[in-house]
Amino acid sequence: MTPDRDEPPQLGPIGTIWARVASGELKVEEAQAQARRRAVTSALSPSYVALLSRLAERAAPEDPERAVTLLRVTLAAVDAAPKARDLAAMCRIVVPAWLEVVTRAVAELPDGELFHDAVARGEALAADAERAGDRSLAWLTLHRLGVLHLDPYAGGRTSADYDAQMRAWEHRLLDARGNELLGVPEEKWRVPRPPAALAKAVSYLERAKTYGAGEARALTLKALAEALEWSRFLGADVDERAILRACEEALGLFGPNGHVRERADLIAIIGRHDGAVPADQIDALLATPVEALVEQIGPSATVEAAIHLASALSGSDPVRALTLLRSVDNLAAEHATEAQRILIWRREIRLLGERRLAPIVSTLNLGALDDAARKVAGRAKREHWGPDELGGALVWLAARGSEGDQEDIALTVLNDALRAAPGLADNSADAVTWLRGTLELGAAVNALTAGDPAGAVGRYLNALDSYLRVRLRDVSLECVRRVADLANRDGAAAVAVVVGLLKYALWLEAELGDSATHLIQQTCKTLMTVLGGGERANPEALMAVLHVAKGLRFAAAALSPEPYRWDADPHGVALLERVAAAAAAAAAARPSTPVTLLAGSSLLPVYLDPGEQLPGATAASGSRTSSAPTMSTGGDGCWTRGEERPRCS
């Protein structure tokens, strides 16, 4: 939810300030300063704060950053308000909303500053509620504190490759705010590690359940079961019976209707811990068509419910489970987390082969995949399997390629599967593409272990190609990071990196945005050092690095027959503003006599051959894109983040 520039009157002065932040007119810190003015604080009331809190909570699922901004401005006003009878009432309203909104925001970007602020405010409010005997507020605050310590670490995550998911999550903050964090103590910006956070989640939720009743208690028990299960996965000493007791009580409290996602999640947890899965509840949940579920609970919750129900069905009815997963493919592409999409593909691949392979898998030597594939193909011929059955079984085998460093053999088996069952390329296209990328990733590690960094670069780039095709942001960036790490291994590896950047940089920037641009620029700096001097000097590769470093979006504009309209390109405008700010910041250090190391005539030929220059022009003056205005700058370009002691704490 984005505020319009002309806010409706009922949003009052805080809504107006929020709109000015959304339009780019104010920075958040400036907006907070304006919110502390008496003209704003005097307009506060519990009903006004409740309106803003509801608006933020509704906005958070789709746009957590904007929701955070709204409540940051609201909290700045509440913290600055004169002490009055209504102040406590406003805190009871806005702090639970803050916990909800920060949970959503931190799940996207692990901002420790937000996290710790929400915890401090929440703990203070929970203590006040317990002292006052306000059971409803105590439940709500403690429950949301528990979820704040659970959802960012478990929501949309999977146990497969959990450490990699956590690394990618942490990298998002560094990519987005790395420069801002320089010099800031780590304890201020880093969120707790998963084991510590989940232990706190269990503690808060155990307290919350003593205050909840009916549906509220069911929600807390469901969250508690998840926190206990994840804590156990990470090595904590958790009694499995406690997980099952929480699930069974929660299911009973929820009843047979409503809470589809929660009931599906509980059923899946029970199945994972060998509990008695209630078949009648599974049938009741599956009776609702996917389209109806989307209307009832939304697309993200529908995908999550389908994943959990497919997990519960996979042992008893794999065909039904596979059909269910495929029914939410399109929804998952737009509304699932990256980890959820990968989980869907893992399960799809397992279900493709399980029906035929489950009875014979114990007879196969999975440590020799080529031999296992030959045995499966021979059995398929003798027993007259259909093409999809053989193809599915071979894909299942290929997915075991990481066992024993057999990725190259697994890739051959995967190609055999697609030849045997061409329909897999359509019916399971994304799953197969993801699997190919994962096998190439393993092959890259094998090449590096074998002392072939240039070969490793090539395999990482193959993996990147697959991951970009299925729009996996985090693992694509991880491939680029690994390639960047190899840029200074040797000359051959550096040249391989340059070739890869030329091929993929534009695709990366278009799909992944500023995070990819920043990573590419850092890699180019390394390559300039490696290729620019000494025995490894390579002028041709160096020119290619300059081509990439300038930005292939610029190259595309430079070679276009149409003039580049910088004023109609938000990226171009933003870039010129950054240039102006950098020039202003460097003005004090500028020498009295300019020293020119690289002029436009040195850089533009990377993009423009002599024949592409306008007649009689130099490269610098003849570019069709060099129509941006001369920029003048002023000021020091610096700002600081003020610290205010919160009143709602």
Side-chain angles (χ1 to χ4, degrees), residues 78-95:
V78 172
D79 288 342
K83 290 185 178 179
R85 181 177 55 191
D86 287 344
L87 182 60
M90 290 188 287
C91 289
R92 288 196 295 271
I93 295 165
V94 73
V95 170

Side-chain angles (χ1 to χ4, degrees), residues 18 49 51-75 93-109 111 114-115 117-119 140 144-145 147-148 151-152:
W18 183 42
V49 170
L51 171 68
L52 297 170
S53 298
R54 287 195 300 272
L55 180 61
E57 288 191 72
R58 288 203 304 270
E62 296 298 326
D63 199 343
E65 183 179 355
R66 295 287 170 80
V68 163
T69 299
L70 175 57
L71 287 192
R72 269 182 158 164
V73 175
T74 304
L75 283 165
I93 295 165
V94 73
V95 170
W98 183 234
L99 288 167
E100 171 72 12
V101 166
V102 170
T103 297
R104 299 275 190 175
V106 170
E108 293 292 324
L109 198 72
D111 187 331
L114 283 182
F115 184 95
D117 180 86
V119 170
L140 178 62
R144 289 192 174 183
L145 278 166
V147 172
L148 173 61
D151 274 9

Side-chain angles (χ1 to χ4, degrees), residues 444-455:
V445 175
N446 295 343
L448 195 57
T449 302
D452 181 12

Side-chain angles (χ1 to χ4, degrees), residues 317-364:
D317 195 342
V319 174
R320 196 178 184 189
L322 180 59
T323 302
L324 178 59
L325 288 178
R326 284 178 169 171
S327 72
V328 295
D329 268 350
N330 292 334
L331 284 178
E334 296 298 328
H335 300 286
T337 67
E338 192 163 301
Q340 285 174 325
R341 294 178 68 210
I342 291 172
L343 177 61
I344 289 172
W345 297 330
R346 285 183 187 277
R347 290 189 175 163
E348 184 175 342
I349 288 167
R350 189 180 73 190
L351 292 167
L352 281 170
E354 241 174 24
R355 176 171 169 266
R356 280 297 187 179
L357 291 181
I360 64 170
V361 69
S362 61
T363 68
L364 300 174

